[in-house]
Structure formats: structure tokens, C-alpha cells
Amino acid sequence: FVGRTLAELDLARSYDVTVLGYWRGPVAGRKRSVTRPTPDYRVQEGDTLLVIGLAEAIEKFLAED
């Protein structure tokens, strides 16, 4: 997914999940703010995506990792 925009990835169509936000950097021990992305947001290495969808859809999305 790295280097592609959310519009290019079209996760709603491909996986039936919606990206609500993202954050960048380490997770443990730090407060972080979640940013709401636009369709032209380009996924970068180190991003964590916050997604919503049915459990089966999220499992399918995670299996692609």
C-alpha cells in the first residue's frame, strides 16, 4: 500500500473497509493524534491505518499484509 493514495487503493471496493484515520510512528508509550485522511492521502511507510468494517472484511484486509 505504501506510496499509493487511498483513492488508488479503493479499499472500500477491494476489501469492504473504510479508512477513518491514520497515524505515523511508534505506537508504544506515546500519545499520538489520529488524522482524518482525504482520498488523495498517500500511504507512507510507518503509517497505521484506522479502519472500520465487518469482522470478515477486516480479516481479509489484514490477511493481505
Side-chain angles (χ1 to χ4, degrees):
F1 298 154
V2 172
R4 297 177 65 194
T5 67
L6 293 179
E8 291 170 341
L9 292 170
D10 198 6
L11 299 176
R13 181 177 173 156
S14 302
Y15 298 98
D16 205 20
V17 298
T18 301
V19 178
L20 298 178
Y22 73 93
W23 63 87
R24 184 168 300 126
V27 175
R30 294 184 60 198
K31 288 186 177 182
R32 61 197 168 279
S33 60
V34 176
T35 303
R36 184 173 179 208
T38 60
D40 63 336
Y41 175 73
R42 193 168 300 276
V43 178
Q44 297 180 26
E45 190 167 339
D47 285 356
T48 299
L49 300 179
L50 174 64
V51 299
I52 190 169
L54 295 176
E56 299 84 19
I58 292 174
E59 288 172 9
K60 178 183 173 188
F61 173 73
L62 293 174
E64 291 295 316
D65 185 15

